[in-house]
Amino acid sequence: MNIIQQLEAEQAAKITERRQIPDFAPGDTVVVSVRVTEGERSRVQNYEGVVIARSGAGLNESFTVRKISYGEGVERVFPIYSPLVEGVKVVRRGKVRRAKLYYLRGRTGKAARIAEKKRVVASSAPSEAKAPAAEAAEAASEA
């Protein structure tokens, strides 16, 4: 590892100590908490939209979030390791088949929606279904 990568890794580790960034991908709907300074006052403002792209690597990594505001498409690029980004929260996971969703720029309304990824939940039903079959096999072998 060269010295530049080592320095970037140290800086990234220092920033992630203060706040955790969840794993998210293009197609996910996220809420980005951004620190906004107005005059002498500063506050946190939430920006909710669909991640349409992730680009870069290391400290230079950024992501683009698109939302529709009053009928107009608005896109914002956030550096992942920016001190102005207070946090990122994933609202829903999107099911997409490509890394860059720039085609959403030309779509409005229902055509611009992204299907939600189905969650896989491990259930105990299959193990219970095996138990009666095993009991029946034991009873048959005893008889």
Side-chain angles (χ1 to χ4, degrees):
M1 181 184 279
N2 67 25
I3 192 151
I4 294 174
Q5 291 174 338
Q6 186 178 358
L7 289 171
E8 283 185 356
E10 290 173 7
Q11 291 297 319
K14 190 190 318 182
I15 293 170
T16 54
E17 283 178 6
R18 287 184 277 161
R19 60 180 160 80
Q20 291 295 321
I21 301 292
D23 289 334
F24 60 93
D28 295 351
T29 302
V30 295
V31 176
V32 183
S33 301
V34 187
R35 180 152 301 285
V36 177
T37 304
E38 296 168 335
E40 297 171 6
R41 299 178 351 144
S42 139
R43 63 185 175 86
V44 175
Q45 180 177 4
N46 289 336
Y47 188 90
E48 182 173 355
V50 177
V51 177
I52 62 168
R54 280 187 79 152
S55 61
L59 281 179
N60 298 323
E61 189 172 0
S62 63
F63 60 101
T64 306
V65 180
R66 178 179 175 82
K67 74 173 186 176
I68 305 296
S69 180
Y70 297 102
E72 195 71 28
V74 180
E75 289 182 11
R76 232 177 130 175
V77 179
F78 298 102
I80 286 186
Y81 294 107
S82 170
L84 296 178
V85 175
E86 294 285 319
V88 178
K89 180 182 167 196
V90 178
V91 177
R92 50 183 292 217
R93 303 266 179 198
K95 182 181 177 188
V96 293
R97 296 174 58 159
R98 57 194 72 233
K100 307 286 193 228
L101 305 179
Y102 298 139
Y103 67 89
L104 291 177
R105 292 173 176 165
R107 298 191 180 185
T108 57
K110 285 187 178 181
R113 289 191 301 188
I114 294 175
E116 190 166 1
K117 199 182 277 186
K118 292 193 170 93
R119 290 185 178 173
V120 177
V121 180
S123 66
S124 60
S127 62
E128 292 173 4
K130 290 180 183 176
E135 290 174 10
E138 288 178 18
S141 65
E142 289 176 2

